[in-house]
Amino acid sequence: MTAAAIASQEILKPHLTVAGGHSLGGTIRVSGAKNSALVLMTASLLTADTLELCNVPDLTDIGGMSEILASLGVKVERQADRVRLNAAVLSSSEPPYELVNSLRASFFSIGPLLGRLGHAKVPLPGGCRIGARPVVEHIRGLKALGAVIQVEHGIIHANVPGPNKRLKGASIILDCPSVGATETILMAAVLAEGTSTIENVAQEPEVQDLANLLNRMGARVSGAGSPVITVEGVESLHGCLDYPVIPDRIEAGTFLMAAAITRSRLRVEPVVPEHLNAVLQKLRDCGCHLDIDATGITITPKEITAVDITTQPFPGFPTDLQAPFMALMTTARGTSVITERIYENRMQHVGELQRMGASIRVDGNTAIVEGVFRLSAAPVKGSDLRASAAMVLAGLAADGTSKVSGLQHLDRGYDDIEAKLNGVGAVISRQAS
Ligand code: UD1
């Protein structure tokens, strides 16, 4: 196939047409956090009782996790924003490769499976476009809790030796504060015999949400949100009904940046402001006024000037908002230096932003962004979830109508983004081909 034919096929794929230049206004609603909901769903594996979550976003990743849990025997029912999960009978401890590979968070099921059953066979998830994404820390932690782990043909075989097949509490110091490793080890440790201390853990709000849910299920977890988590193991956990997933801080940050890039006053709710402190500081620094109250944030952008960011683990600036913030900086006055410290390959949106007239130079994992007066609409493709969101934002601010493809990424993490943005004045439509 010629390059031109490939390009025309790309344009024919499902895409959004984003009409640039419309101001936003009013209130935009934030859904429940994808990264919380995914891991809270896997916590259902820890009990024979029913777990009911509410405020669960409607995303393809949530559908994928439901499928993976169903493959293990979990009964999953969804009604509006509620998901009920019952793992009374686990028919398998081996999620299939195709499913685990398509949804990395499903690998975290190895922790609760080991805790509950004493054995699990889970395929290694592999890397993804943004980086290698190893799981060594997850495995090291499970070994410290007494699991015997072998890797054969890309599949992790994990077993707990001994007559009662119960993990044993241990002291664990993570080499890096991995979110997934913290969650995996935490879910394994809650049913272990004795006390575990896990140091250098991830402090992300999603880890705190998981610890809160586990405590509601009868676990004894303290310290979540700080660098050290302590877990006193219990023999069993019970169910929990009506547990609300926290608001999605990354979706909220994306909408605040949508307001800033279109220079529009917008209210974003619900938001837990402490989950976004580093982002809010950068938005203030670049010229946005923020009114923060108990339920949300009203942003009023003034002239946007360039500021630098470096992505870091929480409470630092989140890597998942690096691409949307870069889109904003392409329209700022001055030069911004954006450094990606979490993933080795998360600059793929640069080329697409350049196609829209952005002026960006990349040196390794640093992008130097010189603000331009106006972006110009173009057909662009999001290479990953957050890069796709950055393309939508750039499209909102550009002259003309952009075509944004790569929706299979966008739909993984944004619940009906075009309807939400159209509700506050954007003009976006979805084309099937
Ligand atoms: C989670 C989020 C993802 C976010 C990321 C970082 C979910 C479902 N996904 O992913 O959206 O971008 O946190 O905020 O919650 N690392 C190691 N060794 C390990 C594990 C991780 O070196 O064993 C490194 C990774 O290569 C990466 C960094 O740690 O550089 C962060 O990864 P991690 O926190 O594990 O990300 P995830 O939990 O996969």
Side-chain angles (χ1 to χ4, degrees):
M1 201 184 303
T2 65
I6 292 171
S8 69
Q9 276 208 342
E10 205 50 63
I11 307 267
L12 287 174
K13 282 189 178 159
H15 60 267
L16 297 179
T17 56
V18 182
H22 294 272
S23 290
L24 308 182
T27 300
I28 193 163
R29 299 283 308 168
V30 176
S31 297
K34 167 181 87 81
N35 288 348
S36 247
L38 289 173
V39 74
L40 300 185
M41 287 172 77
T42 64
S44 66
L45 294 166
L46 286 163
T47 175
D49 295 346
T50 296
L51 170 63
E52 184 193 52
L53 306 172
C54 55
N55 199 32
V56 177
D58 188 7
L59 304 169
T60 54
D61 267 10
I62 297 293
M65 183 59 90
S66 303
E67 212 180 320
I68 289 163
L69 292 172
S71 79
L72 301 174
V74 181
K75 291 207 171 83
V76 186
E77 287 165 37
R78 174 154 197 152
Q79 257 191 337
D81 73 334
R82 268 169 205 273
V83 175
R84 281 172 77 89
L85 305 117
N86 185 287
V89 182
L90 285 177
S91 48
S92 165
S93 56
E94 302 181 32
Y97 168 73
E98 298 72 32
L99 298 179
V100 175
N101 200 41
S102 65
L103 178 50
R104 179 186 166 76
S106 63
F107 177 78
F108 308 166
S109 63
I110 193 170
L113 282 173
L114 262 186
R116 169 107 177 265
L117 301 175
H119 59 87
K121 274 191 207 171
V122 183
L124 281 163
C128 68
R129 282 164 181 270
I130 57 178
R133 307 192 75 174
V135 287
V136 270
E137 290 304 301
H138 310 53
I139 295 171
R140 230 166 47 81
L142 296 174
K143 280 184 176 168
L145 292 170
V148 175
I149 294 189
Q150 284 158 337
V151 183
E152 279 171 23
H153 309 297
I155 294 179
I156 294 191
H157 298 244
N159 280 289
V160 185
N164 66 359
K165 301 194 113 237
R166 197 164 168 207
L167 292 164
K168 296 230 169 4
S171 287
I172 300 160
I173 304 178
L174 296 183
D175 274 354
C176 64
S178 155
V179 177
T182 303
E183 294 169 341
T184 301
I185 297 166
L186 178 54
M187 285 191 282
V190 285
L191 289 180
E193 202 175 338
T195 301
S196 300
T197 52
I198 320 164
E199 292 182 53
N200 194 26
V201 292
Q203 299 170 53
E204 269 70 357
E206 293 77 20
V207 172
Q208 300 176 42
D209 205 18
L210 174 62
N212 288 341
L213 171 69
L214 293 171
N215 285 338
R216 288 267 300 267
M217 294 167 72
R220 295 204 191 120
V221 180
S222 57
S226 81
V228 183
I229 291 181
T230 305
V231 185
E232 282 176 58
V234 295
E235 279 196 16
S236 64
L237 295 182
H238 51 73
C240 174
L241 299 180
D242 214 20
Y243 185 86
V245 178
I246 55 170
D248 196 309
R249 63 194 166 101
I250 305 301
E251 189 194 22
T254 304
F255 292 154
L256 290 168
M257 289 167 200
I261 202 170
T262 55
R263 311 300 191 259
S264 306
R265 185 163 198 266
L266 187 68
R267 179 164 174 81
V268 180
E269 66 175 33
V271 182
V272 181
E274 304 80 63
H275 292 174
L276 274 166
N277 274 340
V279 174
L280 300 182
Q281 189 55 50
K282 289 297 174 182
L283 286 169
R284 283 192 197 95
D285 291 350
C286 76
C288 299
H289 178 77
L290 303 175
D291 276 319
I292 300 175
D293 58 47
T295 53
I297 300 177
T298 302
I299 179 169
T300 312
K302 309 266 157 66
E303 189 190 13
I304 301 293
T305 52
V307 295
D308 299 343
I309 60 160
T310 299
T311 63
Q312 282 166 342
F314 191 85
F317 193 98
T319 174
D320 289 349
L321 284 172
Q322 180 256 107
F325 198 80
M326 190 184 297
L328 171 60
M329 286 298 100
T330 64
T331 67
R333 185 166 56 81
T335 301
S336 158
V337 179
I338 295 181
T339 307
E340 173 57 50
R341 282 262 171 81
I342 306 295
Y343 294 118
E344 63 271 24
N345 195 21
R346 205 170 208 183
M347 286 286 168
Q348 292 172 54
H349 41 283
V350 167
E352 300 299 296
L353 289 170
Q354 284 169 332
R355 302 191 66 245
M356 298 179 78
S359 171
I360 309 173
R361 277 180 297 128
V362 176
D363 182 7
N365 268 337
T366 298
I368 296 135
V369 184
E370 277 177 56
V372 292
F373 178 65
R374 201 103 174 110
L375 294 173
S376 130
V380 285
K381 187 176 178 192
S383 51
D384 67 65
L385 167 54
R386 307 302 170 186
S388 310
M391 294 308 129
V392 173
L393 264 50
L396 291 174
D399 262 340
T401 298
S402 300
K403 283 184 176 173
V404 178
S405 57
L407 302 191
Q408 72 278 20
H409 303 301
L410 193 69
D411 294 340
R412 285 186 43 219
Y414 289 90
D415 185 344
D416 213 354
I417 191 168
E418 65 266 33
K420 287 190 183 188
L421 287 169
N422 287 343
V424 292
V427 180
I428 304 177
S429 62
R430 184 175 286 246
Q431 316 291 329
S433 66

